[in-house]
Amino acid sequence: MRDRLSPEIVAFLRDAKDFVMLGHDAIELSAPHIYLSVLPSLSPSSTIAKTFWPKFRNVPTYDVTGIHRSRGPLLQMSGHAGKVISVAFSPDGNRVVSGSLDKAVRIWDARTGDLLIDPLEGHRNTVSSVAFSPDGAVVVSGSLDETIRLWNAKTGELMMDPLDGHSDGVLCVAFSPDGAQIISGSMDHTLRLWDAKTGNPLLHAFEGHTGNVNTVMFSPDGRRVVSGSDDKTIRLWNVLTGEEVMDPLSGHTSIVQSVAFSPDGTRVVSGSNDRTIRLWDARTGAPIIDPLVGHTDLVLSVAFSPDGTRIASGSADKTVRLWDAATGRPVMQPFEGHGDYVLSAGFSPDGRTVVSGSADKTIRLWSANAMDAMPSPDAAPSDTDLHDGTLSLGSQLKALVDNENSTPGTSVKSSKTLSESPQGHGGRVLCVAFTPDGTQVVSGSEDKTVLLWSAQMGASVLDPLQGHRSPVTCIAVSPDGSCIASGSADETIYLWDARTGRQVGDPLSGHGRSVQSLVFSPDGMQIISGSSSRNLTRWDTNRLWIRGRHTPALECNDGRTADGASQGTQQRDLLRRILSGWSPDRLWLDPALGCPDR
């Protein structure tokens, strides 16, 4: 039917769905006329807005510069009558399977959110785990009714009698990479291996855990299985023998809820009730990096992206987070929207989408593309966004930062919360600047530190740069991006190596009062600084970095201007002229261009 609809109708229906998702609270709880309250929140380009605004001219409007609603899910699927315990993508990425407390398995269209077939019913208790076979033809489900069932993924028919062998509830199931075997973990503390074609058990039960086995997964080569348990350990097993291949991986201080192999089989990721995520060497069992910390409640689900570069995690704090698998730093902002625990999360086969299942009975799809999480940069943050030690470049309000505490003429245009790291500023952010290539942002704060952030990932890339004894009031970056200059109320300027964070030379002193503004010359050979003592100072970077001299190259005390303009206005004007290409030598040699007669 979709093929028979015009593009305009398809666009309208998509927009209508977004409208309903945006205003579902008002639609569900209030009289129909309240739906109109959603209209002011719509983008002017919205088909719904274009259609209905002309008909309801008395609906109040608001015009606030740069308000940006945090990006919601791409799609939401509702239909389960109970908590959604487990979700997974099909191998082609076109379908999502879910298992629920309502005892049913459901298969959804990942593009539209529609239910593809009737719910798969037969389990007598909670469906705790679901997965597609590698060819997408079969769905396996494990249940607290102590059985495992195999379903035809197209018709929903049960393919054989339930697999029966565990003596307590089945908590997790997974297919082998070739689809020939199934591994399951249970509340009876064991793992069991099954023939996916016949349903017959293979080998003996894998024994070793002393608590519930909450999570299992095959290695990419199918030779090993990893499991996590209530006993706080992670264990690796030989599939041919059912024996452990090394000592248990210990480090978590509470229940291990979820584990996964990296796509190349060299790493294991684990999530725990201790609120941390850990990465392990799958060959030695050694931890790889420090625990990933950020969730404020139990970590209930973890998964690697198909290329192994990122990790998705779902938590009892109701969020889904993405992490850089190499550094452990957060990637993007947390996905927020679920109304209850996120019990399951995973990537689509192309890595561009994350699926999550929640105790709020819904399944949601999120864009894992960092650029999708950023609105178009048509404005920049106001200083109301820079108030709590978190550098939030326009995640809620965006306005031009162009005052005495930032580099004049620099417009900050972004929309990512850059401080998801525990190393965020401890005071108000007073100044920000982009590096010349736009990949990083530098910030200065009341906490006396300078931080360097990844503009794409939203995480600090160096430890805080410490040295100033008073708030950092201005920041500048050299044209080649190699050096950061920071000015402070302590009357000094510090130079930092942008790659290592190390201080370059001694602090530059000479201003008698707080340094208020900084700028590099276009060739990077000179720095101009302005202070509240009403002077501008030029520093020769060759002498600063090579000869170790830290005296001004030339100083101009301006005290007043011919037209009575304030010192801040004149300093900004001078700096803008330099940025526009004025030669610093000419500027300082010609009093008419900068220094008025005293």
Side-chain angles (χ1 to χ4, degrees):
M1 177 179 177
R2 183 178 178 183
D3 295 337
R4 296 196 300 269
L5 297 177
S6 68
E8 292 77 12
I9 294 296
V10 171
F12 184 86
L13 292 175
R14 285 176 177 166
D15 212 48
K17 190 168 189 175
D18 290 341
F19 177 85
V20 172
M21 289 178 65
L22 174 64
H24 65 86
D25 288 337
I27 293 171
E28 183 178 4
L29 300 175
S30 306
H33 70 274
I34 300 299
Y35 305 176
L36 298 179
S37 65
V38 183
L39 278 176
S41 300
L42 298 180
S43 165
S45 63
S46 160
T47 306
I48 293 287
K50 291 177 180 178
T51 302
F52 290 103
W53 266 118
K55 299 181 181 181
F56 299 98
R57 298 184 181 277
N58 293 326
V59 173
T61 63
Y62 52 80
D63 183 13
V64 182
T65 302
I67 280 191
H68 171 64
R69 186 175 65 251
S70 59
R71 195 175 187 88
L74 299 174
L75 204 59
Q76 176 176 314
M77 287 94 98
S78 302
H80 278 295
K83 299 176 181 179
V84 179
I85 309 298
S86 179
V87 291
F89 268 103
S90 61
D92 62 7
N94 293 329
R95 294 168 292 167
V96 168
V97 62
S98 58
S100 168
L101 190 71
D102 64 11
K103 309 176 188 179
V105 176
R106 293 176 182 251
I107 300 176
W108 313 81
D109 188 316
R111 296 162 296 186
T112 66
D114 297 327
L115 196 62
L116 290 175
I117 56 178
D118 291 337
L120 315 186
E121 298 176 338
H123 282 297
R124 302 183 305 278
N125 205 332
T126 298
V127 177
S128 53
S129 184
V130 291
F132 275 99
S133 61
D135 63 4
V138 180
V139 165
V140 63
S141 59
S143 169
L144 297 189
D145 65 10
E146 303 179 10
T147 70
I148 298 159
R149 295 179 183 243
L150 293 167
W151 314 83
N152 184 305
K154 291 186 178 180
T155 66
E157 295 177 353
L158 199 60
M159 300 183 66
M160 62 182 72
D161 291 337
L163 282 56
D164 192 353
H166 284 293
S167 59
D168 209 332
V170 177
L171 297 175
C172 46
V173 290
F175 271 101
S176 61
D178 62 4
Q181 297 171 326
I182 294 166
I183 191 72
S184 59
S186 168
M187 296 170 67
D188 65 12
H189 304 181
T190 70
L191 290 75
R192 288 185 177 266
L193 192 65
W194 311 83
D195 186 309
K197 300 296 182 184
T198 65
N200 294 328
L202 302 172
L203 298 177
H204 52 78
F206 296 11
E207 297 180 343
H209 281 299
T210 58
N212 295 345
V213 180
N214 300 311
T215 172
V216 291
M217 183 179 179
F218 276 94
S219 61
D221 62 9
R223 297 178 181 179
R224 293 173 297 165
V225 164
V226 64
S227 60
S229 168
D230 276 10
D231 64 15
K232 308 177 187 177
T233 70
I234 298 145
R235 297 177 188 243
L236 290 159
W237 311 82
N238 184 314
V239 172
L240 296 178
T241 65
E243 303 296 328
E244 293 183 57
V245 300
M246 65 181 69
D247 292 336
L249 313 188
S250 300
H252 283 296
T253 59
S254 189
I255 292 170
V256 178
Q257 293 282 7
S258 182
V259 294
F261 270 106
S262 61
D264 62 4
T266 63
R267 294 166 292 165
V268 167
V269 63
S270 58
S272 166
N273 281 8
D274 64 13
R275 305 184 181 184
T276 70
I277 298 162
R278 292 178 181 251
L279 280 164
W280 314 82
D281 188 313
R283 295 159 294 191
T284 66
I288 297 176
I289 57 176
D290 291 338
L292 282 55
V293 178
H295 282 297
T296 59
D297 211 329
L298 320 178
V299 179
L300 302 174
S301 182
V302 290
F304 271 102
S305 61
D307 62 4
T309 63
R310 292 185 289 176
I311 294 165
S313 60
S315 169
D317 65 13
K318 306 178 187 177
T319 71
V320 177
R321 288 178 181 255
L322 297 185
W323 311 81
D324 186 301
T327 66
R329 292 194 174 105
V331 177
M332 302 171 56
Q333 300 178 50
F335 299 147
E336 298 176 339
H338 279 300
D340 209 332
Y341 289 10
V342 177
L343 299 170
S344 181
F347 282 94
S348 60
D350 62 8
R352 298 173 61 185
T353 307
V354 170
V355 62
S356 59
S358 169
D360 66 8
K361 305 178 186 179
T362 70
I363 299 136
R364 300 186 186 216
L365 299 183
W366 314 84
S367 173
N369 186 336
M371 296 309 295
D372 287 347
M374 299 173 64
S376 58
D378 50 33
S382 72
D383 54 7
T384 54
D385 251 354
L386 311 177
H387 63 87
D388 62 354
T390 294
L391 179 58
S392 177
L393 300 185
S395 61
Q396 296 300 323
L397 296 176
K398 298 181 293 179
L400 181 65
V401 172
D402 187 2
N403 54 37
E404 294 182 15
N405 295 331
S406 65
T407 302
T410 301
S411 176
V412 178
K413 298 179 179 180
S414 180
S415 59
K416 287 170 61 61
T417 297
L418 297 182
S419 181
E420 299 301 339
S421 155
Q423 293 182 322
H425 283 298
R428 290 189 303 168
V429 177
L430 301 178
C431 48
V432 292
F434 271 105
T435 56
D437 61 6
T439 63
Q440 295 176 323
V441 174
V442 188
S443 61
S445 168
E446 264 188 349
D447 67 7
K448 311 174 189 177
T449 70
V450 175
L451 281 176
L452 187 63
W453 311 81
S454 166
Q456 181 177 10
M457 295 193 304
S460 56
V461 298
L462 292 173
D463 291 335
L465 312 186
Q466 299 177 336
H468 285 295
R469 302 183 306 279
S470 296
V472 177
T473 52
C474 50
I475 290 288
V477 184
S478 63
D480 64 1
S482 66
C483 181
I484 297 167
S486 59
S488 167
D490 65 12
E491 307 176 7
T492 68
I493 299 165
Y494 276 66
L495 299 178
W496 314 89
D497 187 314
R499 293 162 296 183
T500 66
R502 293 177 181 171
Q503 184 180 333
V504 178
D506 296 331
L508 314 183
S509 58
H511 287 296
R513 298 181 66 181
S514 173
V515 180
Q516 295 293 321
S517 51
L518 286 171
V519 67
F520 279 88
S521 62
D523 62 4
M525 302 304 290
Q526 300 174 82
I527 296 172
I528 306 296
S529 60
S531 83
S532 56
S533 63
R534 301 187 177 186
N535 65 59
L536 295 171
T537 301
R538 176 164 61 93
W539 309 85
D540 188 320
T541 57
N542 275 336
R543 282 189 279 177
L544 293 176
W545 298 344
I546 299 174
R547 301 174 190 171
R549 296 176 60 184
H550 308 292
T551 55
L554 190 62
E555 181 175 298
C556 170
N557 294 307
D558 63 336
R560 61 184 175 85
T561 65
D563 59 0
S566 70
Q567 68 175 56
T569 301
Q570 184 178 2
Q571 286 180 7
R572 287 199 301 274
D573 181 61
L574 293 176
L575 295 173
R576 281 194 178 95
R577 292 188 187 190
I578 295 171
L579 286 171
S580 299
W582 287 100
S583 163
D585 289 336
R586 182 185 176 196
L587 173 66
W588 293 104
L589 291 174
D590 185 350
L593 292 178
C595 303
D597 294 332
R598 290 207 293 262

